Amino acid sequence: MLEYGELPDPAPAAGEVLVDIHAASVNAADWKMRGGHYGSTIAFPHVPGRDFSGVIAKGGRDFRPGDAVFGVCEVPREGAYAEKIAIREAIVARKPERLTHVQTAAIALIGLTALVSIEDTLKLKRGETILIQGGAGGVGGFAIALAKHIGARVITTASAANHAYVRKLGADEVIDYKAQDFTKLVKGVDAVFDTVGGDVTMKSFAVLRPSGRLASVAVGGAPASPRPDVLSLRPKVDRDRAHLDRVAALVTQGAVPVPEITEYPLARAADAHRVSESRHLRGKLVLRVRE
């Protein structure tokens, strides 16, 4: 169940700030959490939503009321599908002036996930080749642009309808996963970044060169590598201001574009979840909380 209703305003604890949320994004993790995919025991009523952009209502050491900020929640607390959120000040960052709240909410978690995966976990280098599974989604799209910014050659999978979109993001080669078998078209890549999971993850090991590495952010974590000569890695997407500042800089400097955005009012969050669950989304869904 996902219901729209009223709850008491959250009260910030020591070290926390209170934020008036203007926009929150919808991530696959939101409906997976709702469906129990993560196995977490959470108290109800539970407010979902992992990233947001808004304005400080009650400040702390670094931020004052009126400051525009954005952030990514620490699981399992979440809480971004709301008008207000209390969150640790240390994991909140200043919103880029050049971006709207909707745009900023759209890049928060996807940017953090892609950044940790591509730079920190895979340690992708200029001149390497990477296969990005699921390039039209939010995380995959950010990863494509980031990998091109680093100087890598990028291969990605996407439906035919999204080929132009992922090429615009920087993909050098696009494979139609509905009509083509990527294992027959891709060989000897340095790295794979998987956002899909399941059989796609396991088949991806076959396209790696010896000493290659795979990082998966799909539900269930990175499986054990079926090959002794390649690594299977699980990105540890911690929340911290430094990474959020890096995400904001990549976008405001033009290295990574703002994804294609579809907006919904907060009251229609359930409708947005249905679209996200279809798994054919391009770009990002964002809930507008305030005008």
Side-chain angles (χ1 to χ4, degrees):
M1 296 290 292
L2 186 61
E3 296 184 352
Y4 180 71
E6 296 288 334
L7 288 173
D9 288 346
E16 295 184 340
V17 292
L18 184 67
V19 181
D20 288 330
I21 295 177
H22 284 238
S25 91
V26 175
N27 297 282
D30 301 345
W31 53 263
K32 289 174 183 176
M33 171 68 86
R34 175 172 55 82
H37 291 257
Y38 296 114
S40 298
T41 301
I42 56 176
F44 292 97
H46 175 79
V47 179
R50 295 193 175 189
D51 53 354
F52 64 89
S53 181
V55 175
I56 295 289
K58 291 183 180 178
R61 185 185 64 181
D62 302 326
F63 297 108
R64 300 289 179 265
D67 288 344
V69 297
F70 75 113
V72 178
C73 304
E74 293 173 297
V75 180
R77 185 174 177 183
E78 302 187 311
Y81 289 13
E83 293 178 322
K84 295 179 183 290
I85 188 170
I87 187 170
R88 275 204 303 129
E89 185 177 27
I91 61 171
V92 172
R94 197 167 298 278
K95 171 190 162 293
E97 291 185 6
R98 292 176 53 188
L99 301 183
T100 67
H101 285 291
V102 167
Q103 290 173 323
T104 304
I107 66 170
L109 181 56
I110 65 167
L112 184 63
T113 303
L115 189 66
V116 170
S117 300
I118 299 296
E119 290 193 342
D120 299 351
T121 306
L122 289 171
K123 302 185 188 302
L124 190 67
K125 299 178 181 62
R126 177 176 295 277
E128 290 191 315
T129 298
I130 184 171
L131 169 63
I132 296 174
Q133 299 283 18
V139 175
F142 199 104
I144 289 172
L146 177 58
K148 284 304 295 182
H149 176 65
I150 290 170
R153 180 173 181 270
V154 179
I155 307 169
T156 193
T157 55
S159 64
N162 290 326
H163 281 202
Y165 178 70
V166 294
R167 286 191 183 279
K168 187 176 180 181
L169 292 173
D172 298 291
E173 182 181 343
V174 188
I175 297 169
D176 182 354
Y177 67 86
K178 293 181 178 179
Q180 298 173 294
D181 182 351
F182 73 88
T183 62
K184 296 180 180 178
L185 300 172
V186 180
K187 296 295 179 185
V189 299
D190 299 286
V192 173
F193 177 44
D194 169 50
T195 70
V196 178
D199 289 344
V200 171
T201 309
M202 297 311 299
K203 290 178 179 178
S204 295
F205 287 103
V207 307
L208 286 165
R209 66 165 175 80
S211 300
R213 61 267 189 215
L214 176 147
S216 179
V217 293
V219 171
S225 174
R227 291 173 52 186
D229 60 341
V230 299
L231 292 175
S232 179
L233 306 167
R234 178 68 172 182
K236 194 173 187 300
V237 188
D238 290 331
R239 282 52 165 150
D240 65 77
R241 188 179 298 164
H243 277 85
L244 290 177
D245 286 340
R246 168 87 170 132
V247 169
L250 284 165
V251 176
T252 56
Q253 292 167 8
V256 176
V258 174
E260 189 172 304
I261 295 171
T262 302
E263 291 185 36
Y264 283 81
L266 179 61
R268 291 183 57 202
D271 292 336
H273 271 221
R274 292 186 189 99
V275 173
S276 182
E277 285 182 88
S278 74
R279 294 177 175 266
H280 298 299
L281 173 69
R282 181 163 72 195
K284 284 290 295 181
L285 299 169
V286 176
L287 305 175
R288 183 181 287 277
V289 180
R290 287 178 171 82
E291 295 299 327

